[in-house]
């Protein structure tokens, strides 16, 4: 019989002080220099996101960019991206999204093609394994997960060291916002069946695409999506037809795992408003008579 002391000791070992930190950037939408999207410069905002993330989190061990790398799938955007990430002090892993062009992307990043020509990869982490899957499909903003991609993921999950951190572009769970769900992962049942089979080994699934902060679960596996590094979406549950944008701040996600827990925080690096001291976390420092609230 496992005693309480043995169980507590085991849990303390899992929750060790050695942290794994990752950065998720998404929907960077690089475009021809000088062009803007929603009145914002995606190239400048990508640079701002990198600067903020690496200055705030110099201990990150990898950056994952979850798709929509280029706004129009232009080769020049991918060439500038390749040159830029080559200068970074940490490895960068790439997924493609609906705004990308897989064939053109692979002309610049040929090493990222799997045996079937999809942009899928596996990389070791200090805690487990990272997997990137390809949900791109031609002439559609929706996501796809065909039999070949399914087989790749099945095999990758079978051999991967757990826990697995899975990165993709399209949301595999519904938002219940009609226009967004029209372009979510179309083959979500097929994808979900793979996740259900391997759910004990998957720590978290990360996606982009929606330009909204989202969280939930798929067969018990936590999922989350961050706002992108340039333009932001807007959640209007009454809108039936059109995708909506807003001027909410640009953002990325920071992921911290310690063996027992995974914490995901959306960092709004584009916020330009006032920041003020709220108070000390020390309970005794809170005084109703003297504090200015």
């Amino acid at each position: 019989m496992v005693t309480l002391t043995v169980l507590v000791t085991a849990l303390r070992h899992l929750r060790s002080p050695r942290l794994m930190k990752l950065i998720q950037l998404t929907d960077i939408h690089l475009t021809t220099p000088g062009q803007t999207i929603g009145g914002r410069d995606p190239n400048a905002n990508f640079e701002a996101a990198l600067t903020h993330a690496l200055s705030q989190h110099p201990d990150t061990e990898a950056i994952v960019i979850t798709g929509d790398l280029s706004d129009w799938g232009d080769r020049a955007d991918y060439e500038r991206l390749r040159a830029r990430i080559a200068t970074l002090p940490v490895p960068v892993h790439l997924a493609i999204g609906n705004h990308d062009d897989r064939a053109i992307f692979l002309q610049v990043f040929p090493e990222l093609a799997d045996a079937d020509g999809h942009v899928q990869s596996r990389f070791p982490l200090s805690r487990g394994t990272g997997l990137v899957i390809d949900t791109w499909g031609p002439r559609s903003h929706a996501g796809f997960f065909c039999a070949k991609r399914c087989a790749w993921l099945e095999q990758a999950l079978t051999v991967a060291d757990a826990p697995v951190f899975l990165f993709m572009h399209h949301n595999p769970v519904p938002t219940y916002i009609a226009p967004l769900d029209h372009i979510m992962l179309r083959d979500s049942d097929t994808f979900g069946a793979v996740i259900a089979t391997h759910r004990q080994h998957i720590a978290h699934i990360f996606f982009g695409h929606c330009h909204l902060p989202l969280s939930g679960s798929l067969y018990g596996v936590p999922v989350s999506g961050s706002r992108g590094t340039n333009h932001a979406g807007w959640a209007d549950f009454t809108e039936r037809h059109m995708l909506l944008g807003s001027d909410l701040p640009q953002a990325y996600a920071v992921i911290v795992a310690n063996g027992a827990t995974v914490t995901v925080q959306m960092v709004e690096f584009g916020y330009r408003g006032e920041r003020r001291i709220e108070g000390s976390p020390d309970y005794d420092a809170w005084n109703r008579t003297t504090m200015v609230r």
Side-chain angles (χ1 to χ4, degrees):
M1 179 181 294
V2 178
T3 67
L4 180 60
T5 300
V6 171
L7 181 59
V8 170
T9 301
L11 289 174
R12 283 176 177 169
H13 174 72
L14 280 174
R15 191 169 180 145
S16 74
R18 183 172 62 85
L19 300 178
M20 180 187 77
K21 184 178 286 187
L22 307 171
I23 298 295
Q24 180 200 9
L25 305 183
T26 196
D27 297 88
I28 61 176
H29 285 266
L30 300 182
T31 192
T32 303
Q35 293 185 353
T36 60
I37 303 171
R40 295 175 175 178
D41 183 337
N43 303 314
N45 281 320
F46 176 54
E47 287 295 330
L50 290 173
T51 298
H52 191 279
L54 291 173
S55 63
Q56 289 276 311
H57 308 285
D59 54 340
T60 189
E61 64 181 68
I63 296 172
V64 186
I65 310 179
T66 48
D68 282 1
L69 309 174
S70 168
D71 195 44
W72 293 103
D74 291 340
R75 182 186 177 103
D77 296 335
Y78 299 133
E79 289 173 340
R80 284 186 289 110
L81 177 61
R82 184 173 189 113
R84 184 65 182 95
I85 64 178
T87 69
L88 298 178
V90 297
V92 178
H93 305 282
L94 303 175
I96 58 171
N98 50 290
H99 278 260
D100 292 303
D101 185 303
R102 184 196 286 143
I104 295 175
F105 173 84
L106 287 175
Q107 291 173 11
V108 180
F109 293 93
E111 72 280 7
L112 296 186
D114 69 8
D116 296 307
H118 297 116
V119 181
Q120 306 195 122
S121 59
R122 179 172 62 221
F123 52 95
L125 296 168
S126 61
R127 290 188 176 276
T129 305
L131 297 179
V132 171
I133 66 169
D134 182 335
T135 59
W136 181 88
R139 299 187 61 80
S140 176
H141 286 303
F144 297 89
F145 189 67
C146 62
K148 290 181 178 180
R149 282 176 271 196
C150 180
W152 184 94
L153 182 58
E154 281 272 16
Q155 194 273 339
L157 287 169
T158 299
V159 302
D161 292 332
V164 172
F165 297 82
L166 179 59
F167 297 87
M168 59 198 294
H169 180 68
H170 289 85
N171 51 305
V173 295
T175 66
Y176 299 99
I177 301 169
L180 280 176
D181 289 345
H182 182 69
I183 58 172
M184 68 176 284
L185 185 66
R186 290 276 174 87
D187 307 300
S188 57
D189 289 343
T190 302
F191 177 76
V194 178
I195 298 306
T197 300
H198 297 274
R199 58 187 171 188
Q200 290 185 331
H201 306 295
I202 305 171
H204 205 100
I205 300 170
F206 301 90
F207 59 89
H209 188 48
C210 300
H211 293 256
L212 296 171
L214 294 162
S215 61
S217 65
L218 179 63
Y219 290 101
V221 177
V223 303
S224 64
S226 176
R227 197 180 299 141
T229 61
N230 190 66
H231 45 297
W234 183 257
D236 185 337
F237 291 85
T238 67
E239 174 59 50
R240 308 308 300 170
H241 304 290
M242 303 302 290
L243 300 168
L244 300 180
S246 71
D247 293 326
L248 291 169
Q250 304 91 328
Y252 62 83
V254 56
I255 304 151
V256 184
N258 69 5
T261 66
V262 177
T263 300
V264 184
Q265 297 187 54
M266 190 180 75
V267 179
E268 295 179 309
F269 72 93
Y271 175 68
R272 295 293 180 265
E274 181 184 0
R275 289 176 291 178
R276 52 193 172 271
I277 294 174
E278 179 71 12
S280 168
D282 184 355
Y283 181 84
D284 291 333
W286 288 64
N287 186 303
R288 184 172 183 173
T289 303
T290 60
M291 283 188 72
V292 176
R293 300 286 284 154

